[in-house]
Amino acid sequence: SGSGGEGSGSGDGDEPFKVIAFTSGNQTPIGAWWVKAVEAKADELGWDLTMIQGDFDFQKMNPAVESAIGQGADVILDGYTDVASIGSIVTAAKDAGIPIFAMDSGTEPTDAFAINITTDQQGIVDSTVGALDESLGGLEDKTIMVIGHDPHPGIRMRSGLAEEALVEAGATIAGGEIQKVASPATGRTEALAMVADFLTANPGGLDGVWVGWDDAALGAAQAITEAGATGKVTGVDATSEAIAGIQAEGAFLVTVEQPWPSILDSLIEHILAYQEDGTIPEKSFEAVGTTLVNVDNAADITPSDKLG
Amino acid sequence: MTVLNGQVEPAALDRTPALEARDIVKRFDGVHALENACLSVREGEIHALLGENGAGKSTLIKVLTGIYSPDSGIMYRAGEEVEFANVRVANRAGVVALYQELSVIPSISVAENILLGEQTPSRGGMVQGKKLRRRARELLESIHQRVPLGMLAADLSPVQQTMVAFARALATDARILILDEPTASLTDTEIKELFAVLRSLRDRGVAIVYVSHRLEEVFELCDRLTIMRNGQTIVTKDVADSHIDEVISTMVGRSPGELYPDRGTATTAVALSVKNLDGRRVKNVSFDVHRGEVLGIGGLAGSGRSELLRILSGAQKHAAGEISVAGVPLPHSPGVGRALNAGIALVPEERRSQGVILGASIQDNIAVANISAVSTLGLVSGARIADITGRGMKDLQIKARSSRQHVSELSGGNQQKVVLAKMLARKPKVLLMDEPTRGIDVGTKAEIYRLIRQLAAGGTAVITVSSELPELIGMSDRIVIMHEGQISGEVTADEADEEVLLAYCYGKADSHDNFS
Amino acid sequence: MITSRNPGLEDLTDTRAIPRRSVGQTLLASGTVLALFVLVLFFFAMRPDVFLSFTNVRNILYQVAILAIIAGAQTIVMVVGDFDLSVAATSALAGAVAASLMLSGVPISIAILAALIVGLLIGLANGLLIAYLNLSAFVATLATLTSVTGLAFLVTEGTTLFNLPTEFNNLGQGRFLQIPLPVFIAIGISLILWFVLRFTTLGRRWYATGGNVEVSRLSGINVQRARLLAFTVAGLVSAIGGVLLAARLGSASAVQGEDNLLFSVAAVFLGMTIVRSGAANLVGTMVGVAIIGVMSNGLNILGVNAYVQQVVTGLIIIAAVTLSSFKSRGR
Amino acid sequence: MITSRNPGLEDLTDTRAIPRRSVGQTLLASGTVLALFVLVLFFFAMRPDVFLSFTNVRNILYQVAILAIIAGAQTIVMVVGDFDLSVAATSALAGAVAASLMLSGVPISIAILAALIVGLLIGLANGLLIAYLNLSAFVATLATLTSVTGLAFLVTEGTTLFNLPTEFNNLGQGRFLQIPLPVFIAIGISLILWFVLRFTTLGRRWYATGGNVEVSRLSGINVQRARLLAFTVAGLVSAIGGVLLAARLGSASAVQGEDNLLFSVAAVFLGMTIVRSGAANLVGTMVGVAIIGVMSNGLNILGVNAYVQQVVTGLIIIAAVTLSSFKSRGR
Ligand SMILES: Nc1ncnc2c1ncn2[C@@H]1O[C@H](COP(=O)(O)OP(=O)(O)OP(=O)(O)O)[C@@H](O)[C@H]1O
Ligand SMILES: Nc1ncnc2c1ncn2[C@@H]1O[C@H](COP(=O)(O)OP(=O)(O)OP(=O)(O)O)[C@@H](O)[C@H]1O
Ligand SMILES: [Mg+2]
Ligand SMILES: [Mg+2]
């Protein structure tokens, strides 16, 4: 397949397998790891890889990917880029008949991708809320703050699920709704101020903070520590800083490890199957399980920013 | 008179000059601003530097004080060859200038304005506030000024700003003090005080270079004079040996005609009628101007003349009163656009901040006031701009490389002509001119007077505000004087003399009858 | 007529005879244009097979099309001597409004119209604050930027809106003669703005106001209206850019195209160096946009590390501007 | 001959007798200060139990301490009539440098020193570009902002550096008399800057330069050096802010404290409205910082939705500035 690249490969017949890979988040540690890991795999498998890094600038990234599509490819690999932001890429790929294999690129099944493997958001929520429940001795009548960040679909989804789960368990949501961090760049300071201000307005009124990602969770934990309060904080991502926080046994209670390397491995399996005989995965959406990181297993977890 | 082309008269060399510049050449982008300019000033003299607009006086001063580095030429300070890399070096060598049309820093206080930079009294990097105020007060007192030291310079009147800038020049221990048209915006009291100070400085051995277009002043004040023309020094000689006509003809390179043209005959048709006008500084002003008439308005600084013109031109709102042009009343506070359309045009007082866009070309400046005239259906015609610009430049003899030259590069007089040109292109019925000859050389002054007459002869009513009484008398058909916002007197030009006008200026409205 | 002549004056009987520098000459004389050429040559030399290929040039054009529109809006405001920090936020809000209306079933054309009206109103608000209430443009548009971003978050509920109608997406993703539509739209808008700035009385008024507000007012120009109009047009044009960006990406989020703010200002500033007067101008802005586009595409093609790219981008901007300031100082 | 008196001026026989407005009067006369009072009163009325409590006031102070430092840096640059868009980026880089050196075993004091030197050098680079190469402050600092952010990414390798020595973290998180150390440091730096601006010759030169470059130059002020110094000091002070932010968070990332850029500019602009001359001034800046701090804390306490907060923030800034522009127009 592939619409025939210009001038690629001088040998007759067996041109190398052409892969376009793109990620919007190369300035995050996970994004950086992904780029390196994909490049290594491509080397190993002898792919002709075009790697496009978007730096969250879709205005720049999408045309670059589309023009690569225009030059022909066999497979497209999407890492961590929400399907919502790449409508034009999806269209271009469909038109060219090239399948997109994706990881963590949206929280719901979509026919945009041949497959999208992501983590099980409900599982993340179940384990973190469960840890809170356990640590606080039940959630009934407890006040829990939920901190989310809407622009990130994963965080948005699990924040919503967490809110539901907490309400169901009888907890009160602090502030009556999910607290929203506006910018990822200032997530930690925003969360710090939010929790600090809430604690002043409601002294002793916070039993826990459920946060959608570790960076902001670290700010929330710091606010609780500084206020001398007792609440517990949960995060998601398993960054080394969060793991260290958990090991310190302070306000930071648990975080969640998402198995990116194994997800990438199984994605590659799917691609190889496709390369072999054009097999398209049966299910276009797969949500894999995650590991809760608590003080017991913290030492054994590879932090997500140390994958590379 | 010894005319030595580009050479200083030998008499000047008998003592070592305090400052001497020889064969200075300075070009800007093809413009020869200075072409072998020479100047030699001695200790203890007041030396006039004369020349028409654009002759190169200001440029020479900027070379003398290290602002421009000359393309070639040599300078000597007390016989030693010097090169001034910047103003500070020149200042330290005792050469200090008060530059043309650059005076104060509006956002800082009067005292700070007077003692700027290296003059600020300080110890260990710390400003000595008391000493600063004391020094500033002393300096102001030495020129008989009472300006509150803590006031922001922005709140000062133009006169006060000039005096503050002068005080700053005095703050440095200048051995050579250069003044570039210091009196352009001063009135007579300040001028007298200034002269007294300059004389006492001279008596203390300071060499003073004095640039002015008011030749009477030069003859009153100066010991020697140097005349420049087209960037060259034409002559240096003693004032005592000079005659004013001869100086003028040397400046302009031909013999002077009459400064003031003959008066015309005004019609009886009323062009502009003002009834009971009230504003911030203007109280109950009424008068008529006829077609073909030149009305002069005199008064002390701050008497409200500028505000009157600004109200008439629509630039400023007023409280009450009626303005009508050729019998047709204007709406209340019409705004400049409508006033212009009704035929009232203003040539404002502050050329650089109100008259011209310095960073734009001559033709763009002229187009600004004539946008509708050069456009059809919202589209501007380049040809029509070129056309009215060409006509304006020719009629007013604007000296420039081309109509695309930036106005910032023109001499003051030529900038003023650009303002005139842009307003005349509107063919106004009533032309308001606020101090139209400020900072303008005699030759150009005569041109402007003639132009005013010519406009009047064509039926335009012209109103000019001037602080110079001889000018008021010389060019007006009728003169009204304002005092504290009111008209304190009115005379026809024939019966005007300076004494009567002065009395009115001080509000002594004892004598006459015919107030409108 | 006045009979006296100024001695030593060249006879300027015909001012039109002055040699006019052609546009080409002007461009070549500028250091900024030189910088652009150097960049193009450099990247061409590095990757002769790719950089000037049809696909890549088209790519560059596609990548800068929306920036060009936003920079056009910024140019107008900077012509009247102000800034607009809210251009990118306005464009994001406009895209969000259009997307959210379409998703709730409003016809495409009405949704677009509504988005443009939103942009126009934001521009109008800026203009009123700045021209009539005399706020500094910096504070006023900084405040609008904040509020408008908040509104965009509210409209999108913080998410990325997608699944927009195909006809809408085609506006941003379709092609004509192999060239993406946004490129044509950007060229069209730039031409219109260029024409307005250069040949209309409105453009004259804007330039005059930017040159000196007081002089313009005393020359009979309604400077308040001129500034109001400039901001309003900028708001409208930004909204066009935003709608197009939404169509181009097939989605709309509250922070979409954020970096267009700084890049648009940088482009206008780069462009100001190409004219003598130092005023903002559309041709210059487009040169600035081209520099930014070539730089980012070229560095990508060379596979330069993203962080290093950022460092280099800053250095190239400095080099370009320094180059032209040397040139003009030579006078 | 016309003789005249000073126009329209009350006869001020003794110049010292001019009623000088006291600092208090000046502050009260300003719409911006009024806006701050209104905000405080409003939030106090809404939550009388909480808003003015010791803990909350301390909270506010803690939250604005670092912004106050960055805004101080911005004030200096704006006193000389320029802008510095790179303050926040410089602070992030300084924090990153300090953190990365400490993590690689360099002693705390040396790491801090190195970070401050980095800030100083960035400021110096800005100053050289702007004062000596005559680049516009906007482009130059925009370019530096870009490059410096890239460098910060390189230093942090895109991650968040943490596990900094406890003594270092104490600098940002420790307390003295119940008050967090950064509050004291911010007050100390503000006092120093206020003192420098007000009482030293350097401060006078900065104000003169900002008031009118040309007049200052002609009056023998070395305006190039004055501007160079202003940017250098701003770089250094920003670096202090950045090091403190790293200590306060116990970590350092490349984009840390990004929002301090816009907030610092807003604070200085708000502060400019409190003085007659309209010049940037430190007391005013601190009022601006206080407005921003009170606003964000108060809205948090009221539990206002984050997006609505953003909308309201913009509106409050506009209201504050409009209020003071009305006031000053009354004259
Ligand atoms: N920066 C500049 N760039 C280009 N031309 C200049 C510049 N400064 C002065 N000139 C030109 O140099 C010539 C001399 O100007 P200068 O200002 O020295 O005249 P001046 O004798 O002081 O006139 P005025 O009496 O009107 O002040 C003029 O033709 C002027 O246009
Ligand atoms: N004491 C003052 N303080 C501040 N500004 C002043 C003062 N006096 C005059 N001005 C300003 O100078 C301008 C001229 O004022 P006005 O119309 O009262 O004076 P005038 O008679 O034209 O005198 P002149 O222009 O010679 O000072 C006005 O725009 C006014 O704002
Ligand atoms: Mg001159
Ligand atoms: Mg006047």
Side-chain angles (χ1 to χ4, degrees), chain C residues 199-237:
Chain C
F199 295 110
T200 68
T201 54
L202 183 61
R204 284 274 159 176
R205 286 198 194 101
W206 281 340
Y207 269 112
T209 305
N212 186 324
V213 179
E214 185 61 9
V215 172
S216 302
R217 193 173 77 85
L218 291 179
S219 302
I221 290 174
N222 189 336
V223 292
Q224 295 188 311
R225 201 170 54 197
R227 292 174 83 191
L228 179 74
L229 269 173
F231 278 98
T232 311
V233 171
L236 176 66
V237 173

Short mmCIF file of all heavy atoms in Angstrom, two decimals, chain C residues 199-237:
data_model
loop_
_atom_site.label_atom_id
_atom_site.label_comp_id
_atom_site.label_asym_id
_atom_site.label_seq_id
_atom_site.Cartn_x
_atom_site.Cartn_y
_atom_site.Cartn_z
N PHE C 199 -4.30 53.01 -0.42
CA PHE C 199 -5.00 53.82 -1.42
C PHE C 199 -6.28 54.49 -0.93
O PHE C 199 -6.89 55.23 -1.69
CB PHE C 199 -5.33 52.96 -2.64
CG PHE C 199 -4.10 52.50 -3.35
CD1 PHE C 199 -3.71 51.17 -3.33
CD2 PHE C 199 -3.30 53.40 -4.03
CE1 PHE C 199 -2.57 50.75 -3.97
CE2 PHE C 199 -2.16 52.99 -4.69
CZ PHE C 199 -1.79 51.66 -4.65
N THR C 200 -6.69 54.19 0.27
CA THR C 200 -7.96 54.80 0.69
C THR C 200 -7.73 55.94 1.68
O THR C 200 -6.67 56.04 2.30
CB THR C 200 -8.89 53.77 1.35
OG1 THR C 200 -8.31 53.38 2.59
CG2 THR C 200 -9.07 52.55 0.47
N THR C 201 -8.74 56.76 1.78
CA THR C 201 -8.65 57.86 2.74
C THR C 201 -8.56 57.32 4.16
O THR C 201 -7.90 57.90 5.01
CB THR C 201 -9.89 58.76 2.61
OG1 THR C 201 -11.05 57.96 2.74
CG2 THR C 201 -9.91 59.46 1.28
N LEU C 202 -9.24 56.20 4.40
CA LEU C 202 -9.16 55.60 5.73
C LEU C 202 -7.72 55.25 6.08
O LEU C 202 -7.24 55.55 7.18
CB LEU C 202 -10.04 54.34 5.77
CG LEU C 202 -10.11 53.64 7.12
CD1 LEU C 202 -10.70 54.56 8.17
CD2 LEU C 202 -10.93 52.37 7.01
N GLY C 203 -7.02 54.64 5.12
CA GLY C 203 -5.63 54.30 5.35
C GLY C 203 -4.79 55.53 5.64
O GLY C 203 -3.96 55.54 6.56
N ARG C 204 -5.02 56.57 4.89
CA ARG C 204 -4.31 57.83 5.13
C ARG C 204 -4.55 58.33 6.54
O ARG C 204 -3.65 58.79 7.23
CB ARG C 204 -4.82 58.90 4.16
CG ARG C 204 -4.30 58.76 2.78
CD ARG C 204 -2.97 59.44 2.67
NE ARG C 204 -2.28 58.89 1.53
CZ ARG C 204 -1.10 59.33 1.12
NH1 ARG C 204 -0.50 60.30 1.76
NH2 ARG C 204 -0.53 58.80 0.08
N ARG C 205 -5.83 58.26 6.92
CA ARG C 205 -6.18 58.75 8.26
C ARG C 205 -5.48 57.91 9.32
O ARG C 205 -5.00 58.43 10.32
CB ARG C 205 -7.69 58.67 8.47
CG ARG C 205 -8.40 59.74 7.71
CD ARG C 205 -9.82 59.99 8.20
NE ARG C 205 -10.45 60.78 7.18
CZ ARG C 205 -11.29 60.29 6.28
NH1 ARG C 205 -11.67 59.04 6.34
NH2 ARG C 205 -11.77 61.07 5.35
N TRP C 206 -5.43 56.62 9.08
CA TRP C 206 -4.75 55.76 10.05
C TRP C 206 -3.27 56.12 10.14
O TRP C 206 -2.73 56.26 11.23
CB TRP C 206 -4.92 54.28 9.64
CG TRP C 206 -6.24 53.72 10.01
CD1 TRP C 206 -7.11 54.20 10.95
CD2 TRP C 206 -6.86 52.54 9.46
NE1 TRP C 206 -8.22 53.40 11.01
CE2 TRP C 206 -8.10 52.37 10.12
CE3 TRP C 206 -6.48 51.62 8.50
CZ2 TRP C 206 -8.96 51.31 9.84
CZ3 TRP C 206 -7.34 50.56 8.22
CH2 TRP C 206 -8.57 50.41 8.88
N TYR C 207 -2.63 56.24 9.00
CA TYR C 207 -1.21 56.57 9.03
C TYR C 207 -0.96 57.92 9.68
O TYR C 207 -0.02 58.10 10.44
CB TYR C 207 -0.61 56.54 7.63
CG TYR C 207 -0.04 55.18 7.28
CD1 TYR C 207 -0.62 54.39 6.30
CD2 TYR C 207 1.06 54.69 7.95
CE1 TYR C 207 -0.11 53.14 5.98
CE2 TYR C 207 1.57 53.44 7.66
CZ TYR C 207 0.99 52.68 6.67
OH TYR C 207 1.51 51.44 6.40
N ALA C 208 -1.82 58.90 9.35
CA ALA C 208 -1.64 60.22 9.93
C ALA C 208 -1.78 60.15 11.45
O ALA C 208 -0.96 60.70 12.20
CB ALA C 208 -2.67 61.19 9.35
N THR C 209 -2.81 59.43 11.90
CA THR C 209 -3.04 59.31 13.34
C THR C 209 -1.84 58.66 14.02
O THR C 209 -1.40 59.10 15.08
CB THR C 209 -4.31 58.47 13.59
OG1 THR C 209 -5.38 59.07 12.88
CG2 THR C 209 -4.65 58.44 15.07
N GLY C 210 -1.33 57.63 13.40
CA GLY C 210 -0.15 56.97 13.96
C GLY C 210 1.07 57.86 13.95
O GLY C 210 1.92 57.77 14.81
N GLY C 211 1.13 58.76 12.96
CA GLY C 211 2.28 59.66 12.86
C GLY C 211 2.28 60.68 13.98
O GLY C 211 3.30 60.94 14.61
N ASN C 212 1.14 61.29 14.23
CA ASN C 212 1.03 62.25 15.32
C ASN C 212 -0.45 62.55 15.54
O ASN C 212 -1.10 63.16 14.70
CB ASN C 212 1.80 63.53 15.00
CG ASN C 212 1.82 64.51 16.16
OD1 ASN C 212 0.85 64.62 16.91
ND2 ASN C 212 2.92 65.20 16.33
N VAL C 213 -0.96 62.12 16.66
CA VAL C 213 -2.39 62.24 16.93
C VAL C 213 -2.82 63.70 16.93
O VAL C 213 -3.83 64.07 16.33
CB VAL C 213 -2.75 61.62 18.30
CG1 VAL C 213 -4.22 61.77 18.58
CG2 VAL C 213 -2.37 60.17 18.33
N GLU C 214 -2.05 64.54 17.60
CA GLU C 214 -2.48 65.93 17.76
C GLU C 214 -2.46 66.65 16.41
O GLU C 214 -3.39 67.38 16.07
CB GLU C 214 -1.56 66.63 18.77
CG GLU C 214 -1.95 68.04 19.13
CD GLU C 214 -3.33 68.17 19.77
OE1 GLU C 214 -3.94 67.13 20.09
OE2 GLU C 214 -3.82 69.31 19.90
N VAL C 215 -1.39 66.44 15.66
CA VAL C 215 -1.32 67.08 14.35
C VAL C 215 -2.50 66.63 13.49
O VAL C 215 -3.15 67.44 12.82
CB VAL C 215 0.01 66.74 13.65
CG1 VAL C 215 0.02 67.23 12.22
CG2 VAL C 215 1.17 67.31 14.41
N SER C 216 -2.80 65.35 13.55
CA SER C 216 -3.90 64.83 12.74
C SER C 216 -5.22 65.46 13.16
O SER C 216 -6.04 65.83 12.34
CB SER C 216 -3.98 63.32 12.88
OG SER C 216 -2.77 62.75 12.49
N ARG C 217 -5.41 65.56 14.47
CA ARG C 217 -6.66 66.14 14.96
C ARG C 217 -6.78 67.57 14.47
O ARG C 217 -7.83 68.00 13.97
CB ARG C 217 -6.66 66.11 16.48
CG ARG C 217 -8.00 66.37 17.12
CD ARG C 217 -7.91 66.15 18.61
NE ARG C 217 -7.24 67.26 19.27
CZ ARG C 217 -7.88 68.36 19.66
NH1 ARG C 217 -9.18 68.48 19.48
NH2 ARG C 217 -7.22 69.34 20.24
N LEU C 218 -5.68 68.33 14.58
CA LEU C 218 -5.73 69.73 14.18
C LEU C 218 -5.83 69.85 12.66
O LEU C 218 -6.10 70.93 12.14
CB LEU C 218 -4.49 70.47 14.68
CG LEU C 218 -4.44 70.66 16.19
CD1 LEU C 218 -3.18 71.39 16.61
CD2 LEU C 218 -5.66 71.41 16.70
N SER C 219 -5.58 68.78 11.94
CA SER C 219 -5.74 68.82 10.50
C SER C 219 -7.13 68.37 10.08
O SER C 219 -7.39 68.16 8.91
CB SER C 219 -4.69 67.92 9.83
OG SER C 219 -3.41 68.33 10.20
N GLY C 220 -7.99 68.19 11.05
CA GLY C 220 -9.38 67.88 10.73
C GLY C 220 -9.71 66.41 10.66
O GLY C 220 -10.80 66.04 10.22
N ILE C 221 -8.77 65.57 11.09
CA ILE C 221 -9.06 64.13 11.08
C ILE C 221 -9.75 63.77 12.39
O ILE C 221 -9.34 64.22 13.46
CB ILE C 221 -7.76 63.32 10.92
CG1 ILE C 221 -7.24 63.52 9.51
CG2 ILE C 221 -8.00 61.85 11.21
CD1 ILE C 221 -5.91 62.89 9.27
N ASN C 222 -10.79 62.98 12.29
CA ASN C 222 -11.46 62.50 13.49
C ASN C 222 -10.64 61.33 14.02
O ASN C 222 -10.87 60.18 13.66
CB ASN C 222 -12.88 62.06 13.14
CG ASN C 222 -13.68 61.74 14.38
OD1 ASN C 222 -13.12 61.43 15.42
ND2 ASN C 222 -14.99 61.84 14.27
N VAL C 223 -9.67 61.66 14.85
CA VAL C 223 -8.71 60.64 15.26
C VAL C 223 -9.36 59.58 16.15
O VAL C 223 -8.96 58.42 16.13
CB VAL C 223 -7.48 61.22 15.99
CG1 VAL C 223 -6.63 62.02 15.03
CG2 VAL C 223 -7.87 62.07 17.16
N GLN C 224 -10.35 59.98 16.92
CA GLN C 224 -11.00 58.98 17.77
C GLN C 224 -11.66 57.93 16.90
O GLN C 224 -11.54 56.74 17.13
CB GLN C 224 -12.02 59.66 18.67
CG GLN C 224 -11.34 60.60 19.67
CD GLN C 224 -12.32 61.12 20.70
OE1 GLN C 224 -13.40 61.59 20.35
NE2 GLN C 224 -11.94 61.03 21.96
N ARG C 225 -12.37 58.42 15.87
CA ARG C 225 -13.04 57.45 15.01
C ARG C 225 -12.02 56.59 14.27
O ARG C 225 -12.21 55.38 14.09
CB ARG C 225 -13.96 58.16 14.01
CG ARG C 225 -15.02 57.23 13.47
CD ARG C 225 -16.05 57.95 12.69
NE ARG C 225 -15.45 58.76 11.64
CZ ARG C 225 -16.09 59.75 11.01
NH1 ARG C 225 -17.31 60.05 11.33
NH2 ARG C 225 -15.49 60.44 10.07
N ALA C 226 -10.93 57.22 13.85
CA ALA C 226 -9.90 56.46 13.14
C ALA C 226 -9.37 55.32 14.01
O ALA C 226 -9.24 54.18 13.55
CB ALA C 226 -8.75 57.38 12.71
N ARG C 227 -9.08 55.61 15.27
CA ARG C 227 -8.56 54.56 16.15
C ARG C 227 -9.63 53.52 16.43
O ARG C 227 -9.36 52.31 16.44
CB ARG C 227 -8.06 55.16 17.46
CG ARG C 227 -6.82 55.99 17.28
CD ARG C 227 -6.43 56.69 18.54
NE ARG C 227 -5.66 55.84 19.43
CZ ARG C 227 -5.38 56.18 20.70
NH1 ARG C 227 -5.85 57.29 21.20
NH2 ARG C 227 -4.67 55.39 21.44
N LEU C 228 -10.85 54.00 16.66
CA LEU C 228 -11.95 53.05 16.89
C LEU C 228 -12.05 52.08 15.72
O LEU C 228 -12.13 50.86 15.89
CB LEU C 228 -13.25 53.82 17.06
CG LEU C 228 -14.49 52.97 17.29
CD1 LEU C 228 -14.47 52.41 18.70
CD2 LEU C 228 -15.77 53.77 17.07
N LEU C 229 -12.03 52.64 14.52
CA LEU C 229 -12.15 51.81 13.32
C LEU C 229 -10.99 50.82 13.21
O LEU C 229 -11.19 49.66 12.85
CB LEU C 229 -12.19 52.69 12.09
CG LEU C 229 -13.59 53.09 11.64
CD1 LEU C 229 -13.52 54.10 10.52
CD2 LEU C 229 -14.35 51.85 11.18
N ALA C 230 -9.79 51.30 13.53
CA ALA C 230 -8.63 50.42 13.42
C ALA C 230 -8.81 49.20 14.32
O ALA C 230 -8.60 48.06 13.90
CB ALA C 230 -7.36 51.16 13.77
N PHE C 231 -9.20 49.43 15.55
CA PHE C 231 -9.37 48.30 16.47
C PHE C 231 -10.53 47.41 16.03
O PHE C 231 -10.45 46.19 16.15
CB PHE C 231 -9.58 48.79 17.90
CG PHE C 231 -8.29 49.12 18.59
CD1 PHE C 231 -7.85 50.42 18.66
CD2 PHE C 231 -7.50 48.12 19.12
CE1 PHE C 231 -6.65 50.73 19.28
CE2 PHE C 231 -6.30 48.41 19.73
CZ PHE C 231 -5.87 49.73 19.81
N THR C 232 -11.58 48.04 15.52
CA THR C 232 -12.73 47.25 15.10
C THR C 232 -12.35 46.35 13.92
O THR C 232 -12.66 45.15 13.91
CB THR C 232 -13.88 48.18 14.70
OG1 THR C 232 -14.05 49.15 15.73
CG2 THR C 232 -15.17 47.41 14.52
N VAL C 233 -11.66 46.93 12.95
CA VAL C 233 -11.23 46.13 11.81
C VAL C 233 -10.29 45.02 12.28
O VAL C 233 -10.42 43.86 11.85
CB VAL C 233 -10.53 47.02 10.75
CG1 VAL C 233 -9.88 46.17 9.69
CG2 VAL C 233 -11.54 47.98 10.14
N ALA C 234 -9.40 45.37 13.20
CA ALA C 234 -8.48 44.34 13.70
C ALA C 234 -9.25 43.20 14.36
O ALA C 234 -8.92 42.03 14.17
CB ALA C 234 -7.48 44.95 14.69
N GLY C 235 -10.29 43.55 15.12
CA GLY C 235 -11.10 42.52 15.76
C GLY C 235 -11.76 41.63 14.72
O GLY C 235 -11.74 40.39 14.82
N LEU C 236 -12.30 42.27 13.70
CA LEU C 236 -12.98 41.51 12.65
C LEU C 236 -12.01 40.59 11.91
O LEU C 236 -12.29 39.40 11.71
CB LEU C 236 -13.64 42.49 11.66
CG LEU C 236 -14.31 41.86 10.46
CD1 LEU C 236 -15.51 41.03 10.90
CD2 LEU C 236 -14.76 42.93 9.46
N VAL C 237 -10.87 41.15 11.53
CA VAL C 237 -9.90 40.35 10.78
C VAL C 237 -9.37 39.21 11.65
O VAL C 237 -9.21 38.07 11.18
CB VAL C 237 -8.75 41.24 10.26
CG1 VAL C 237 -7.65 40.40 9.63
CG2 VAL C 237 -9.28 42.24 9.25
#
